[in-house]
Amino acid sequence: MDNADLAKLIVTPGKLLPKFNPSTTSYSVTVGSNVAEIKLTALTSDSGASYSIKGGDGSKVIKLYEGQLLDIAIEVTAEDGRTNKNYAITLKRFSPNDATLSGLDISAGVLAPPFNPAVTSYTCYLPCCIDSISLKPKVEDKNMKVTLFRDQPITAVNLLHSQTNFTLTVTSANGSATVEYSISAIKQPIVYSVDLAGQSVHCAICSNIPHRPHRIKTDGKLSNSVHCLACLQDLTRTNKQDPISGKSLEGDWLQFDEEMEKVLSNEIARCQLPGGMAEAPLAHMGNTIRSNRLAAKKEEPTQSCPNCSCKLLSCDASFHNELICSAKHSHSSTSSAKVEVLPWERKLQMVGEHQFDSSMKQAADLEGQYCKLLSSCASHSSINENRQQLLETLSSAASCYATAIKLRAKDPQPHVALAAVLEEMFYLGDLFGVKKEQQEVPDDAEDEVADATSEDSKEEEFLAICKLRGVAPGADLVLQLRAVEQEYHMLKETGQSAKADHVQALHAWRSKQALQQSQGTYSSGTESTIGKSFKKYSDAVQLGLIHSSVYNLGRALLLRGDHATAVNHLKTALGIKPIHMETRFCLGIAMAELPATPPPHCKKLLEDGLGTFLDHMSHIAETEAEKPVNYVTTDLLSKTFWQPSNLLITSGFILLAKLGGGVWLSSHTCLRQAARLFAAAGLPNHGHTYQGLLWSLVEARAILLEKMKDKREAIQPCEELSGLLASCGLQKNHELRAMKMRVCCLGVKLQPWSSVALCHLGNAQLEEFEITEARLDLKNAELSFRGSISLEGKASRAAGVPEQLSQQSWYETDKPPSGIDKQQAKPAATKSSQPTTSVAKTTSKQPATGKVVSPTRSKTQQSAVTGRKGNPMPAVAANPKSGRTANNPVTRALANKAPAKSTPATTTGKGVATLGELKTGSGAKPSAPPTKEEPIKTASSTEDKKDIIKEVIDSTPAPVNERSFHPRLGLARVLVKQKSSQEATSLYHEVITMAPQIHDAYIELGEMLAKDNPLAAVDVYAKFPFSRELTFDDAYLYGEIVQLLMKTESYNDPRLLQYMVAMGKVLGLSALEKHVTKLESKFQTKLLRNVYAGVNNRDVNDTELQAFFKFKCWI
């Protein structure tokens, strides 16, 4: 009687979604554009019930209109007449003009963003081992047509090496409309180092095959250099300059080189793996490496030591017996010192009653929550969004472990666990910039609190004294300390003892700060999280020799640069756990860093560890669609050893290269792997780790350049390294200056007629003068800059050498043979009177092992070479070997040769010459020439390739040196130091005309004029083309204009009001405080009222402002 259900509901044509069910009351029906009407058929469950159709015209046949939705309701009334039930149906008829997909499925990878019919641009992230993907586009109107690449049927898409762009074109049913869906399929980079048989193209930054090759577009032209996208993004994230040429990056400057991607993908590639050589087209190399890697993977054989009964790798038996075995060798790691509980640790301990086991379990659970949260962050921005929760979770875990230590103080396990959490806090801040707003300080250290709060004021005062003495904020520390010392002596001589003592204290403070920095971030005191972590690792070792405590202390000592002590601890740890790969690897690094010759097994330890790292990273690249933002899955970063941000990994690669390589990891391969880790880590925060990886990049490239410096191929790498050293942002120090000098000297030997090579050299010489104050360095810098200017508009290759270069004594004592000058063939071996160490040897040790690269300078800081905005030098004129592949004459010449035969290379370490062999000219020899029976000389022949390159370069017109402001700016700086102000002024004006957006010329010219004519300096500053939007980069100029106008009491100058307002808006009213005080004393109340109104974007007659002005007695 009260049954109001339908037993059946049918639409013709069409299909109900979801499938009909009497209890389901909402449905939808979609039909093609050619369906003008549908018919509804309904049957009630109770024969006594009835139904009616509402919507349309109320009949069972419903008319549909193109592209419109129609809502239909079927109201069922039970036999009792009181019970009702409504079934709703939404009807849609496609428009014949509709050309959108309703869905898109892909056979592999992750589509980003998730599919939406209205979104037409997507990225498909894929593992590196995927060779092709299948697409399944969905349309709801069967009359619509979907094609691939506009006119091809939908088939599997064969993927290129790194990025494949393709389109799906959807055509409407009546053919009147089309919509294109663009998809970029991006594969993860291949982890192992790969070489090409027929190409020499490499990334200008990391020197590897470019992954997602991009070029930079400046002044309407594409650069000749090609880069990995990740390398470019890392170096241009904050400094919008071409890292090689130094040109400003504006507009749509980043261009994907699809032509290069296609050419590279078809090239035969080779990769040396532990199990042998893998060979395949580059597009398929990821899958080939995966197959070979899995097929060759096997466990190392093990055995038991007859003396200590420990399980060890059979290959380590002799090494273990001679140096490690705990039954035969005593590696003292303990100390008699008492474990001291410091105030910061007491502060972490929780109050109340707690149990050891529950505290440890709670801490472990919190660690798991932290790891889960961190691994779920899909981007660096999401890490920042969750920063508070991440920090609170770690802090809670640290409190639990500290409480456990209080309950069981002599158990080393909670000490190790607390140390790991504290180390994690350091990495969270260093890698991702997640730090506490306020650093905790001991409760009983009020003087330390006072020092901490005055740290910024000390820095400001120190830099102010430097500026007073003519030393810029970004200058070398030696110059800054020298300037402060001069101020101290001046104050002493004039009887101002109190002020002199204060300046002396500033000098001591900065010297101490520099000493701590030189010892490394990991050597910080116990106030820092990393210092606290070291303290707890040390405490754990004092309480008992368990592997986790001794290994972690050895690893920490290694990071601090204490290699000798680290060796003892790591030997002890390896004696406890001989098959622990991380311990073996760290011990290999520690022994390789000692002054003594490392034992032969050291190379085995290093190569095994690096092989483990490459295998681990390959597994990620082969299974993960996207590179993880961090490499944490189930454990802390401090416990995740095999990751690209671990500075010990880069240290291991470089050390193995310096030892000549291993069995399958050649020296050359190690250096390229070290260079690529900078981009592989992809760190957003420019902290210690970022700086360490960047240092490893330039150090690896310097060693690679040294290996090829007697070859013609060194020209382009030398250009690239010169540009990187000028723009990378590493703070100047002795090692960096020496490297720059050596590379720049080599650059002018290779290309003496290159304007930019001479300009790079001039900058290096000017930097050297800043430290040595040797007039010869300044004179050489002047000659280099003048020579650079004189070569503009001329060919970059010619016979002989420029006059300005031949006048430099260092060049005369080490001039290339005359025959080389004529053809610009191979550069001669060099023994310059400039720094005599090799390019590689001038570099410092890895920051990971104690030498630390200080953080990048601020944009607003001035550098004697790069200037306040870090404008680096441009690269030299394009090398004929570079450029787009299709237009490259060398490539065309090689393409006309017969294809190369696949000849697997040897798998032994001697397949590539060692550093020592390269220096002496010995080492690996070229393959034997082809026999007479061989009909065709292949393009893979080394000698053949050299002949072709020589022929093409000698017959190709030399590129013309471009006109640039850089040498003029450098020469102006030299002339200022030589007191030649008139010519310097002319050059500064020329720079301003050529590059009006460069701050340096305005600032330096203004500083020179301000001494005698402050208003002329104001005129110079005011010429800068300020953007409408006020920026912090321009704040220095605002301040200088205001300061000079106030100094000259030019209160009626309209520029004073204009730039006081700009300064206040950017820096805040507090920056105007001293000027306001002076204006009040001069009764310039009208000016003050206008300034405050302008800064607050209000009318001067605003009611609230008027009240404020009355309070200030300005009206």
Side-chain angles (χ1 to χ4, degrees):
M1 294 289 291
D2 58 354
N3 187 349
D5 290 341
L6 286 178
K8 183 190 298 183
L9 180 61
I10 301 173
V11 293
T12 308
K15 183 179 180 181
L16 286 173
L17 291 175
K19 186 179 179 180
F20 177 74
N21 185 302
S23 60
T24 302
T25 58
S26 295
Y27 299 91
S28 64
V29 178
T30 305
V31 296
S33 59
N34 60 339
V35 177
E37 60 183 28
I38 65 168
K39 181 180 179 181
L40 288 177
T41 303
L43 179 65
T44 60
S45 298
D46 187 344
S47 59
S50 62
Y51 69 87
S52 62
I53 299 175
K54 297 180 179 181
D57 57 5
S59 66
K60 294 183 179 181
V61 177
I62 302 171
K63 292 183 179 180
L64 302 176
Y65 300 92
E66 295 178 355
Q68 294 186 7
L69 295 175
L70 180 61
D71 291 327
I72 300 295
I74 301 176
E75 185 177 3
V76 183
T77 304
E79 185 176 356
D80 61 8
R82 297 189 303 272
T83 305
N84 296 313
K85 191 172 187 179
N86 290 315
Y87 290 84
I89 306 174
T90 300
L91 303 174
K92 180 182 178 181
R93 175 187 174 184
F94 278 111
S95 167
N97 299 319
D98 187 20
T100 58
L101 293 176
S102 60
L104 177 61
D105 292 337
I106 53 177
S107 59
V110 176
L111 204 62
F115 182 78
N116 184 322
V119 178
T120 59
S121 182
Y122 295 91
T123 300
C124 177
Y125 294 101
L126 297 157
C128 68
C129 57
I130 303 297
D131 291 339
S132 64
I133 56 172
S134 299
L135 304 170
K136 189 178 180 181
K138 298 177 181 178
V139 292
E140 296 186 356
D141 190 342
K142 296 180 180 178
N143 298 310
M144 294 165 64
K145 181 181 178 182
V146 184
T147 56
L148 184 64
F149 297 111
R150 297 186 178 177
D151 57 0
Q152 298 177 20
I154 302 296
T155 59
V157 178
N158 293 322
L159 301 175
L160 299 175
H161 157 53
S162 57
Q163 178 172 334
T164 310
N165 297 333
F166 56 91
T167 57
L168 290 174
T169 304
V170 185
T171 306
S172 62
N174 62 6
S176 63
T178 59
V179 173
E180 285 192 351
Y181 290 85
S182 61
I183 302 171
S184 291
I186 298 172
K187 295 199 289 187
Q188 281 224 54
I190 297 171
V191 172
Y192 286 90
S193 182
V194 175
D195 292 302
L196 297 178
Q199 290 283 346
S200 59
V201 179
H202 65 273
C203 169
I205 296 172
C206 71
S207 195
N208 287 272
I209 296 173
H211 181 264
R212 303 181 67 189
H214 279 70
R215 295 182 190 271
I216 291 175
K217 187 176 183 180
T218 54
D219 301 327
K221 299 178 182 178
L222 284 176
S223 65
N224 291 308
S225 301
V226 63
H227 313 266
C228 300
L229 179 60
C231 291
L232 265 184
Q233 289 175 330
D234 279 340
L235 286 178
T236 59
R237 185 178 292 116
T238 56
N239 184 19
K240 295 301 179 184
Q241 307 284 336
D242 185 333
I244 305 302
S245 72
K247 296 181 179 179
S248 297
L249 305 178
E250 300 174 354
D252 191 17
W253 59 271
L254 191 58
Q255 303 287 320
F256 174 55
D257 194 339
E258 191 166 10
E259 181 184 350
M260 173 72 73
E261 174 75 16
K262 291 177 180 178
V263 172
L264 292 176
S265 297
N266 292 323
E267 287 291 331
I268 297 298
R270 298 190 179 99
C271 177
Q272 181 64 60
L273 300 171
M277 182 70 70
E279 183 172 313
L282 183 60
H284 306 300
M285 181 53 78
N287 192 25
T288 303
I289 289 176
R290 178 178 179 273
S291 301
N292 288 18
R293 188 176 66 84
L294 295 178
K297 201 168 185 179
K298 59 181 180 180
E299 295 290 334
E300 285 272 4
T302 60
Q303 65 184 59
S304 294
C305 174
N307 299 311
C308 64
S309 302
C310 286
K311 182 181 178 182
L312 64 142
L313 299 178
S314 298
C315 61
D316 286 349
S318 176
F319 173 72
H320 176 85
N321 185 58
E322 292 176 8
L323 297 174
I324 305 299
C325 182
S326 58
K328 300 176 65 177
H329 306 280
S330 176
H331 307 297
S332 177
S333 296
T334 58
S335 170
S336 59
K338 182 181 178 181
V339 174
E340 181 183 4
V341 181
L342 297 178
W344 62 262
E345 189 175 350
R346 291 195 195 96
K347 193 172 182 179
L348 284 174
Q349 295 170 355
M350 296 184 290
V351 296
E353 295 185 3
H354 300 275
Q355 294 183 349
F356 177 83
D357 291 337
S358 60
S359 296
M360 292 293 288
K361 184 180 184 304
Q362 185 180 356
D365 291 342
L366 288 166
E367 275 189 26
Q369 294 173 24
Y370 164 83
C371 293
K372 185 177 180 180
L373 177 60
L374 186 60
S375 61
S376 67
C377 294
S379 65
H380 298 132
S381 59
S382 61
I383 292 177
N384 193 53
E385 290 169 2
N386 291 285
R387 58 186 299 158
Q388 191 65 29
Q389 188 176 353
L390 289 167
L391 287 170
E392 288 177 357
T393 306
L394 278 180
S395 297
S396 298
S399 294
C400 291
Y401 283 130
T403 304
I405 291 173
K406 182 177 69 172
L407 295 169
R408 197 176 293 178
K410 295 187 177 181
D411 188 339
Q413 289 289 3
H415 291 269
V416 174
L418 176 57
V421 170
L422 293 170
E423 188 177 358
E424 186 72 12
M425 289 181 179
F426 166 76
Y427 287 128
L428 194 60
D430 189 62
L431 302 184
F432 305 112
V434 178
K435 298 180 181 178
K436 289 184 178 181
E437 295 297 329
Q438 295 181 345
Q439 296 293 328
E440 294 180 359
V441 294
D443 293 334
D444 57 350
E446 295 180 3
D447 54 335
E448 293 181 13
V449 175
D451 288 344
T453 56
S454 64
E455 197 80 2
D456 290 341
S457 61
K458 286 181 180 179
E459 183 73 17
E460 290 176 4
E461 195 171 0
F462 180 85
L463 294 177
I465 295 174
C466 293
K467 185 178 178 182
L468 186 66
R469 288 283 169 179
V471 179
D476 195 283
L477 179 62
V478 175
L479 297 177
Q480 293 179 342
L481 291 174
R482 187 182 299 163
V484 175
E485 185 178 359
Q486 291 172 354
E487 181 72 9
Y488 165 77
H489 288 299
M490 185 275 293
L491 292 171
K492 272 289 188 184
E493 291 170 1
T494 55
Q496 303 179 63
S497 300
K499 289 184 178 180
D501 292 342
H502 179 69
V503 170
Q504 186 180 38
L506 284 175
H507 188 283
W509 165 79
R510 189 65 184 91
S511 300
K512 181 180 178 181
Q513 190 182 63
L515 178 62
Q516 291 175 346
Q517 290 175 353
S518 68
Q519 291 173 342
T521 299
Y522 295 98
S523 298
S524 301
T526 56
E527 296 81 13
S528 67
T529 52
I530 197 67
K532 295 173 184 177
S533 172
F534 182 80
K535 170 69 166 58
K536 296 318 298 175
Y537 283 136
S538 300
D539 289 350
V541 170
Q542 292 175 25
L543 295 170
L545 294 181
I546 60 174
H547 177 265
S548 60
S549 64
V550 186
Y551 156 68
N552 279 297
L553 181 58
R555 178 178 60 84
L557 286 164
L558 196 56
L559 290 169
R560 294 164 73 95
D562 189 351
H563 305 121
T565 311
V567 166
N568 290 332
H569 285 80
L570 291 168
K571 283 181 177 179
T572 302
L574 197 61
I576 299 171
K577 202 171 183 178
I579 61 173
H580 190 248
M581 189 59 68
E582 290 88 336
T583 306
R584 294 176 78 247
F585 179 66
C586 288
L587 180 58
I589 292 177
M591 291 192 299
E593 289 279 14
L594 293 177
T597 302
H601 202 65
C602 179
K603 291 171 64 173
K604 171 68 174 172
L605 300 179
L606 290 172
E607 189 171 35
D608 285 355
L610 296 173
T612 301
F613 165 74
L614 293 173
D615 187 72
H616 172 75
M617 296 303 300
S618 289
H619 174 72
I620 293 175
E622 293 162 2
T623 55
E624 300 287 342
E626 295 183 77
K627 183 186 81 171
V629 175
N630 54 76
Y631 292 89
V632 179
T633 52
T634 59
D635 219 333
L636 300 178
L637 275 164
S638 53
K639 300 178 184 177
T640 310
F641 189 88
W642 307 112
Q643 50 160 321
S645 62
N646 185 353
L647 292 177
L648 292 177
I649 302 295
T650 57
S651 179
F653 276 120
I654 291 178
L655 286 170
L656 184 58
K658 290 179 177 179
L659 292 174
V663 175
W664 63 276
L665 273 175
S666 69
S667 175
H668 185 267
T669 298
C670 288
L671 294 170
R672 289 172 59 188
Q673 290 284 10
R676 73 188 304 184
L677 288 180
F678 168 72
L683 300 179
N685 187 55
H686 289 197
H688 167 75
T689 305
Y690 177 94
Q691 291 286 314
L693 292 171
L694 184 55
W695 183 263
S696 297
L697 167 64
V698 297
E699 183 178 13
R701 294 233 37 189
I703 301 173
L704 284 168
L705 179 60
E706 181 193 45
K707 293 176 63 175
M708 61 192 314
K709 69 181 180 183
D710 293 335
K711 300 177 183 177
R712 184 186 203 102
E713 290 81 1
I715 294 176
Q716 186 177 348
C718 190
E719 295 173 5
E720 294 164 354
L721 184 55
S722 297
L724 280 174
L725 289 171
S727 67
C728 65
L730 290 171
Q731 186 167 356
K732 289 178 291 184
N733 54 38
H734 172 72
E735 291 81 6
L736 186 61
R737 288 197 307 273
M739 182 193 289
K740 282 184 180 180
M741 183 65 77
R742 188 63 179 168
V743 171
C744 292
C745 288
L746 178 59
V748 296
K749 290 175 187 298
L750 295 172
Q751 296 190 109
W753 292 93
S754 167
S755 173
V756 180
L758 273 170
C759 192
H760 278 306
L761 177 61
N763 275 310
Q765 291 165 332
L766 183 56
E767 278 191 35
E768 198 66 23
F769 168 77
E770 294 281 359
I771 302 301
T772 64
E773 296 187 352
R775 305 307 297 180
L776 180 60
D777 288 328
L778 191 62
K779 181 61 179 176
N780 284 340
E782 179 187 359
L783 289 170
S784 296
F785 287 130
R786 291 192 186 279
S788 176
I789 296 171
S790 69
L791 292 178
E792 292 175 346
K794 299 178 182 178
S796 59
R797 289 201 310 270
V801 295
E803 179 184 358
Q804 294 86 352
L805 187 56
S806 64
Q807 291 176 9
Q808 299 187 36
S809 58
W810 72 268
Y811 191 86
E812 282 296 312
T813 60
D814 188 24
K815 186 168 58 178
S818 58
I820 293 179
D821 290 340
K822 295 179 182 178
Q823 296 185 0
Q824 279 290 289
K826 298 180 181 179
T830 60
K831 289 185 180 179
S832 171
S833 60
Q834 292 286 352
T836 55
T837 53
S838 68
V839 173
K841 287 184 179 179
T842 60
T843 63
S844 70
K845 292 184 182 294
Q846 284 283 3
T849 55
K851 294 282 186 178
V852 174
V853 182
S854 299
T856 311
R857 297 189 304 275
S858 166
K859 280 186 177 183
T860 58
Q861 290 179 327
Q862 180 184 15
S863 164
V865 177
T866 62
R868 284 173 176 79
K869 290 196 72 174
N871 299 303
M873 289 302 309
V876 286
N879 189 301
K881 289 177 60 181
S882 63
R884 288 184 176 272
T885 306
N887 300 321
N888 192 331
V890 178
T891 305
R892 288 202 303 270
L894 290 174
N896 292 331
K897 295 286 181 178
K901 292 184 178 180
S902 300
T903 308
T906 177
T907 60
T908 64
K910 289 296 180 182
V912 177
T914 66
L915 290 174
E917 291 167 341
L918 285 165
K919 291 176 184 176
T920 58
S922 60
K925 293 185 171 54
S927 56
T931 60
K932 293 183 179 180
E933 291 76 19
E934 190 173 8
I936 299 175
K937 188 177 182 180
T938 68
S940 62
S941 166
T942 303
E943 295 301 323
D944 183 36
K945 219 181 263 188
K946 286 182 179 178
D947 291 341
I948 293 172
I949 293 172
K950 181 178 183 300
E951 175 186 344
V952 171
I953 291 180
D954 290 342
S955 63
T956 304
V960 175
N961 291 307
E962 296 181 358
R963 194 165 183 263
S964 171
F965 73 88
H966 289 284
R968 290 164 176 81
L969 184 59
L971 181 57
R973 288 167 174 162
V974 170
L975 294 172
V976 168
K977 296 181 184 301
Q978 294 177 340
K979 310 300 182 183
S980 301
S981 57
Q982 186 173 354
E983 187 181 359
T985 300
S986 176
L987 285 166
Y988 277 126
H989 281 298
E990 193 173 353
V991 172
I992 289 172
T993 302
M994 296 175 66
Q997 76 284 1
I998 302 301
H999 289 80
D1000 295 17
Y1002 299 89
I1003 294 172
E1004 293 168 22
L1005 176 58
E1007 289 174 349
M1008 184 178 69
L1009 296 175
K1011 298 175 183 177
D1012 301 319
N1013 192 346
L1015 291 180
V1018 172
D1019 292 338
V1020 170
Y1021 292 142
K1023 287 180 181 179
F1024 185 82
F1026 296 104
S1027 60
R1028 291 185 177 180
E1029 182 180 352
L1030 301 177
T1031 65
F1032 185 79
D1033 287 340
D1034 297 336
Y1036 183 84
L1037 291 177
Y1038 304 151
E1040 289 299 294
I1041 293 173
V1042 170
Q1043 180 182 344
L1044 292 174
L1045 289 174
M1046 290 292 295
K1047 180 180 180 181
T1048 56
E1049 298 188 353
S1050 303
Y1051 305 129
N1052 294 324
D1053 192 317
R1055 294 175 295 186
L1056 181 58
L1057 170 61
Q1058 176 187 350
Y1059 291 107
M1060 282 189 76
V1061 170
M1063 186 177 173
K1065 285 184 175 181
V1066 174
L1067 301 176
L1069 284 168
S1070 60
L1072 299 175
E1073 194 171 319
K1074 65 177 181 180
H1075 301 307
V1076 170
T1077 302
K1078 183 175 181 180
L1079 289 173
E1080 285 180 323
S1081 68
K1082 299 294 183 178
F1083 304 103
Q1084 297 294 322
T1085 55
K1086 181 180 179 181
L1087 177 59
L1088 285 169
R1089 293 196 300 269
N1090 287 323
V1091 168
Y1092 268 73
V1095 172
N1096 290 284
N1097 293 317
R1098 294 186 181 185
D1099 187 88
V1100 72
N1101 295 316
D1102 179 85
T1103 305
E1104 291 184 5
L1105 281 181
Q1106 287 289 312
F1108 174 74
F1109 296 155
K1110 287 180 181 179
F1111 172 76
K1112 297 289 288 185
C1113 300
W1114 292 350
I1115 54 175

